[in-house]
Amino acid sequence: MNSTPKRVPIPKNGVDYRGKVVLAPMVRSGELPSRLLALKYGADLVWGPETIDKSMIGTKKRIDPISSTIDYTRTPSNVPKSPAVAVKESKIYRLHPTREHGRLVFQIGTSSPSTAVEAAKLVAPHVAGIDVNAGCPKPFSTSGGMGAALLQTPDHLASILSALVTEVGNVYEIGISVKIRLLETADKTEMLVRKLSSTGITGLIVHCRTTPMRPRERAIREQLRMIADICREEGVACIMNGDVKNRDEALQLMQEFEVDGAMIATAAEANPSSFRTEEEGGLLPWREVVEEYMKIALDVDNKWGNTKFTLGQLMPGKLEVYKKVAGSRSYTEACGALEFDELSDQASEVDERLGLSRHLDVAAVKNAKGKNKSAQAAGGHTDVERSLSSETRLPLSARGISAPTAMAV
């Protein structure tokens, strides 16, 4: 008689990671438009960018009436003292309650059970899961005891997960997971995985690199089967991450290493149509992807700085149009450079709402000045202009003006 494999129950509002190919959490490249585009191209789930618990605590939640997004905002710390200066709220996190429903996992950066729980409760009603970042090697994360620093304190990391399971997962009926890296030896990794997988989490994601390794170094997959076996023993879904290039490869690796799912990062950052299978047509041309991304970014009034950064990831850097987009200061300018004429009216409206129209006004003034100089030249006024310009470059004394006396100190 075959025994049924053990499985940690998937909560009513949660999602089972098994059989899924998902978008990795990426700072800047994991904002709302990128996630929606990945979902459009076939991602089963999407992780938002790591968000620090303390940055979420104290935020205000509001629904944007235009984009229908849920925005978590807060007042910037460097508020101008002048009451005449309007203070614009900073958007800490954005999600789309319908387009991402049941498919968004919120990744939290934390070093404390209490602040992790406090921050997670804010988004728990709107996400399918909470994932703890225990793998980021960047100093801004590790210096605060977060990210990969948690791998060195497994008991503390386990206490964070247990608190989230008890006070957030069970209450809001969503899953709790953790994303880790490999430790120095297979034995240490095994001990870590056994400890974490017994906390009640529903999923464990392993980035197949150690903390000191950089993305350009080849992923290490020798420990994957061992990690997957432990997760199966505890009934926890195991997701692999590291050098997964597309959906077809993800499915092949899942079968080869007997893991439950796979996560795509840099390949999706460069072209999110990597979630399409070859049977579905595979990778799409960059221009088609960029146009689709621009439509989504405009639909949700995405911050221009983030849109510009993402366009830079999606476009070939050697093209002339890449340089034009890189120099753009608004949606209108970028759509013009890309010749997305059908988006120009919407781009203008979004620029107005985001306060980007002033850049266009400045450009128009400079253009008008240029035309005015051309008109002066056509009217024979260039000699007068040169004379005035030359005079302004003469010393004060040569122009009959007394030099100011030094102030006494």
Side-chain angles (χ1 to χ4, degrees), residues 71-345:
D71 299 347
Y72 293 85
T73 67
R74 69 182 316 128
T75 304
S77 56
N78 54 340
V79 176
K81 294 182 179 180
S82 173
V85 179
V87 178
K88 193 172 183 179
E89 293 276 298
S90 297
K91 293 179 180 178
I92 306 302
Y93 195 81
R94 303 184 77 201
L95 60 89
H96 203 291
T98 55
R99 295 170 75 174
E100 294 186 286
H101 179 70
R103 299 186 289 176
L104 172 63
V105 177
F106 178 83
Q107 190 183 66
I108 191 169
T110 185
S111 61
S112 159
S114 59
T115 53
V117 167
E118 186 176 357
K121 284 181 176 180
L122 298 174
V123 295
H126 309 292
V127 298
I130 304 290
D131 182 66
V132 174
N133 182 342
C136 180
K138 300 292 179 64
F140 79 83
S141 187
T142 56
S143 62
M146 301 179 292
L150 290 169
L151 300 177
Q152 304 306 316
T153 55
D155 288 337
H156 183 57
L157 174 55
S159 71
I160 293 173
L161 296 175
S162 295
L164 286 169
V165 169
T166 302
E167 300 180 51
V168 179
N170 293 347
V171 174
Y172 294 91
E173 296 185 277
I174 60 175
I176 306 298
S177 60
V178 63
K179 187 170 187 285
I180 67 170
R181 282 185 175 234
L182 301 175
L183 294 182
E184 298 85 358
T185 66
D187 288 343
K188 289 183 177 180
T189 300
E190 179 181 354
M191 291 177 62
L192 175 71
V193 172
R194 288 192 182 282
K195 180 177 291 291
L196 302 184
S197 60
S198 64
T199 58
I201 58 175
T202 58
L204 183 143
I205 303 95
V206 55
H207 185 158
C208 298
R209 291 182 174 90
T210 60
T211 299
M213 292 177 67
R214 300 279 70 88
R216 65 179 179 274
E217 297 180 73
R218 186 180 64 83
I220 303 170
R221 292 174 177 154
E222 286 77 7
Q223 298 181 38
L224 263 180
R225 286 191 182 85
M226 174 266 290
I227 296 171
D229 286 344
I230 297 171
C231 287
R232 263 190 300 277
E233 289 174 19
E234 297 294 338
V236 174
C238 179
I239 308 293
M240 66 171 293
N241 172 223
D243 291 348
V244 183
K245 297 181 178 64
N246 53 56
R247 175 176 284 275
D248 284 330
E249 183 181 58
L251 295 173
Q252 178 264 316
L253 290 170
M254 288 162 59
Q255 185 174 12
E256 179 181 352
F257 290 97
E258 299 180 329
V259 293
D260 298 303
M263 181 175 272
I264 304 178
T266 53
E269 182 180 43
N271 190 330
S273 67
S274 57
F275 285 102
R276 289 159 43 105
T277 63
E278 283 299 321
E279 188 176 341
E280 296 168 328
L283 286 180
L284 291 169
W286 72 265
R287 185 173 178 82
E288 186 174 339
V289 173
V290 165
E291 184 172 12
E292 198 61 43
Y293 171 81
M294 186 68 87
K295 289 177 182 177
I296 296 174
L298 289 168
D299 284 344
V300 299
D301 282 11
N302 194 46
K303 186 177 179 181
W304 168 243
N306 177 254
T307 295
K308 184 176 179 178
F309 168 83
T310 306
L311 290 172
Q313 307 305 304
L314 298 175
M315 298 174 63
K318 294 182 179 180
L319 296 179
E320 186 63 31
V321 68
Y322 174 91
K323 298 175 184 177
K324 292 180 180 179
V325 171
S328 298
R329 294 165 294 177
S330 65
Y331 279 102
T332 299
E333 290 184 3
C335 285
L338 289 161
E339 299 181 355
F340 292 161
D341 297 338
E342 71 282 1
L343 299 178
S344 60
D345 290 343

Side-chain angles (χ1 to χ4, degrees), residues 351-393:
D351 284 340
E352 186 68 33
R353 287 196 292 269
L354 297 180
L356 300 173
S357 297
R358 65 182 183 275
H359 296 310
L360 302 177
D361 294 339
V362 170
V365 169
K366 288 183 178 179
N367 188 40
K369 285 182 177 178
K371 290 180 179 178
N372 189 41
K373 289 182 179 180
S374 299
Q376 288 178 351
H381 298 297
T382 51
D383 292 338
V384 176
E385 188 176 354
R386 285 200 193 99
S387 174
L388 291 172
S389 298
S390 299
E391 182 179 349
T392 57
R393 287 193 292 269

